[in-house]
Amino acid sequence: MDTLRNWPSREPGAGSREPGAGSREPGAGSRDTRSPGPTHAPDPEAESPEPTFGLSPEWLLPDGRPFVDGLVLSHPEQLERLARVCAEAVPSAVLAGDPCYDRMLAARPYRDRFRRALGVRRGQRLVVLNSTWNPEGLFGNGGGRDVLPGLLPRLAAELPLDDYHLAAVLHPNIWYGHGPGQIRAWLDRARRDGLALIDPVHAWRQALLAADLVLGDFGAVSYYAAALGTPVLLTADGTDVLDTEAPLADFVRHAPRLDPHAPLLPQVARGIEAHRPDPAPAGFVTSAPGRSAGLLRGHFYALMDLPEPTVPASLEPLPLPPYTPRRVTSPLYVRTRAEGTDIAVERSAGHPPGAFGDAHLAVHEETRRAEDLDVADVITRDGRADDPRLGGPGTWTGEVLRLHPHCATAVYVTGPGTCVVRSRAHGTYRLAAEAGAGTEAEAGADAGADAGADADPAAYASALHAWLAYGGTVPARGIVLRAHTGGGAHPFRVEASG
């Protein structure tokens, strides 16, 4: 007894290590570019278009007849297309909604939790890159454009680090086809620049719910994002591999594009701010939102000829992913401007066009290139304050200044909102984020100061470094400074230490 979703688990190529074995496309909208050989005799007089993935006789009639007891479809539109291309399989079709989408709908109230779990801070925008497994997908050659190798470093350079958080969702078959080690090696620079690689099985839905923008291709994740109302900019459209009658193809034809050769920051900001949700994707992902558990269970028990349990059917809720703070070990180019106790800070892993402000270089001690430490103005490290290997913040910061004569400031980040800073010219200080008295919404759109600080403590340290260079002095009672990023103002207290 087999029950098959509208992408088959017994497809030709399943289990191979080639990218392309398997799919999770909603709507079965892709044509199969691997062209599995049909086992039934084709009409030699008829034109044979490329088979539609999961809906064509090549997939559903390996022996000339359906081999499943249930072909699960999520929308009547798929049933209509099935009737046109493979009428023999219609009797086995079951409309049962989309459990994957239903799990995401149920988890929408927990969006903020998912964002915090992924290390996204208040005021930051989460940009999720995604790629399907097709060779013309974003992680393939992008339809011949091969934009990803140049896109990743430019995103890290042009999107300010404290305003944007980058993550990547790659189809499981990309990981399976190339191997996790190879994927991480290919993306090593991007990971050092702060790109988070999302678990392709257990956490991609949570990342999608947390996203402010998706940079994607013609795969399922882009379509799910649109169905959830999240802005999508396409980087690869896959026009040649989609069933032109599928809703996914219509979405791809009309979705806005990212121009990889134009400045990226204005496009990303405009993609978020100018977005108006399109109800069509949500309407075509499922015709039974929130009901898939009951429909599927009813079908399963009918196949087994057993009475259904009386308790309501339910789906496993999406788990809260483990807390994964962002870790950047690439050198950061920092621009600052100070006015009184307010310091604007902009950090990026490159020199973005049009950047302005007084500059300094901040380098993590675990940078790939040791020579970067010799020219760093600020050297950072993160770890527990009681880590015996480093001797604690006081020992480590003193050692760094001795080892690197050019360095003016050593920063030991001890927690999500705290750090110890030793300035060569001014002494040692403890920095801690200030808690706010109200919510960000109550504080208004001005600076969000009353919402409390929620920035990377290394950004506070760069703000202090610049403020001291501008002539600031820390009084004996301490002082509260405000680091300004694109996401708002982040007040932090500075007190002398030791």
Side-chain angles (χ1 to χ4, degrees), residues 252-488:
V252 166
R253 282 191 292 268
H254 296 97
R257 266 57 173 171
L258 179 80
D259 182 352
H261 307 295
L264 298 176
L265 179 58
Q267 295 185 78
V268 168
R270 186 168 57 249
I272 296 172
E273 295 160 4
H275 174 65
R276 299 294 180 270
D278 180 358
F284 280 114
V285 164
T286 176
S287 59
R291 297 170 51 209
S292 64
L295 292 170
L296 286 168
R297 190 180 71 176
H299 172 62
F300 298 151
Y301 275 83
L303 287 175
M304 295 184 292
D305 195 23
L306 292 174
E308 216 179 323
T310 57
V311 296
S314 61
L315 297 171
E316 187 76 18
L318 293 182
L320 185 64
Y323 175 58
T324 310
R326 179 168 60 178
R327 192 165 187 268
V328 181
T329 59
S330 292
L332 293 177
Y333 300 88
V334 187
R335 283 82 56 191
T336 59
R337 289 175 291 114
E339 184 175 339
T341 55
D342 292 271
I343 307 98
V345 180
E346 184 176 278
R347 303 185 299 160
S348 60
H351 293 289
F356 61 92
D358 297 309
H360 65 263
L361 182 67
V363 179
H364 195 282
E365 190 181 38
E366 293 185 354
T367 181
R368 179 63 59 84
R369 290 161 37 97
E371 56 267 31
D372 291 333
L373 297 170
D374 295 331
V375 295
D377 302 296
V378 176
I379 294 177
T380 65
R381 175 100 203 185
D382 49 273
R384 291 174 46 179
D386 60 352
D387 189 334
R389 299 170 300 170
L390 302 174
T395 298
W396 180 86
T397 54
E399 184 179 84
V400 165
L401 294 185
R402 287 194 302 273
L403 291 174
H404 305 285
H406 178 82
C407 176
T409 304
V411 182
Y412 191 110
V413 176
T414 54
T418 59
C419 64
V420 173
V421 175
R422 184 187 293 266
S423 167
R424 190 179 295 276
H426 301 278
T428 304
Y429 305 97
R430 291 190 303 271
L431 278 57
E434 283 279 281
T439 66
E440 184 175 1
E442 293 168 345
D446 176 26
D450 290 341
D454 188 22
D456 182 353
Y460 305 151
S462 277
L464 176 64
H465 170 85
W467 184 75
L468 293 172
Y470 292 138
T473 58
V474 178
R477 66 180 183 281
I479 191 171
V480 174
L481 304 178
R482 291 174 15 137
H484 291 258
T485 67

Side-chain angles (χ1 to χ4, degrees), residues 127-279:
V127 177
V128 173
L129 293 88
N130 91 83
S131 178
T132 189
W133 50 262
N134 193 284
E136 294 194 22
L138 177 60
F139 203 78
N141 63 20
R145 298 190 303 166
D146 201 20
V147 300
L148 191 63
L151 182 62
L152 287 173
R154 286 189 55 214
L155 285 169
E158 297 183 33
L159 302 188
L161 184 72
D162 297 299
D163 304 346
Y164 291 90
H165 193 108
L166 297 175
V169 172
L170 305 179
H171 192 283
N173 281 337
I174 294 176
W175 289 91
Y176 180 72
H178 299 291
Q182 182 64 75
I183 297 298
R184 292 189 173 93
W186 280 335
L187 296 177
D188 178 67
R189 176 182 172 183
R191 293 169 61 217
R192 288 185 281 117
D193 288 346
L195 178 74
L197 293 181
I198 303 300
D199 186 312
V201 175
H202 302 292
W204 70 270
R205 302 170 188 84
Q206 296 89 323
L208 203 57
L209 288 166
D212 295 289
L213 176 72
V214 170
L215 301 180
D217 53 22
F218 50 92
V221 174
S222 297
Y223 200 64
Y224 276 131
L228 292 168
T230 303
V232 177
L233 294 178
L234 292 186
T235 56
D237 60 26
T239 304
D240 296 334
V241 298
L242 294 176
D243 180 349
T244 57
E245 296 181 350
L248 177 60
D250 185 67
F251 163 73
V252 166
R253 282 191 292 268
H254 296 97
R257 266 57 173 171
L258 179 80
D259 182 352
H261 307 295
L264 298 176
L265 179 58
Q267 295 185 78
V268 168
R270 186 168 57 249
I272 296 172
E273 295 160 4
H275 174 65
R276 299 294 180 270
D278 180 358

